[in-house]
Amino acid sequence: MPPLRSQIRPGVTVDIVQKQDQPTGRLTRGVVAALLTRSPSHPHGIKVRLTSGEVGRVQAVVSAQPDA
């Protein structure tokens, strides 16, 4: 089960799956810039925008500490 919205905040490193990678399940690692899903949970993962501009659904939180 993907992480809850409460576990994700800007500055946290996460693995996301982008829309075009959903069939393959390829993950992209990056730092969260903004949370795009308002609900506390989502069956496919909370949608976020990374600092690189990529958008996808969080599959795992890699580092719960915001990068300083």
Side-chain angles (χ1 to χ4, degrees):
M1 180 157 175
L4 301 174
R5 190 177 195 277
S6 61
Q7 298 171 291
I8 305 164
R9 55 186 38 89
V12 170
T13 303
V14 295
D15 284 336
I16 65 166
V17 63
Q18 296 182 67
K19 184 79 170 177
Q20 69 269 22
D21 295 330
Q22 284 177 347
T24 63
R26 181 176 162 265
L27 297 177
T28 303
R29 185 163 290 181
V31 178
V32 175
L35 281 78
L36 305 177
T37 300
R38 290 183 181 264
S39 65
S41 66
H42 190 282
H44 302 296
I46 300 298
K47 190 179 280 187
V48 298
R49 179 179 298 112
L50 301 180
T51 54
S52 61
E54 296 164 308
V55 174
R57 296 195 179 272
V58 176
Q59 301 302 300
V61 174
V62 176
S63 168
Q65 294 299 100
D67 294 340

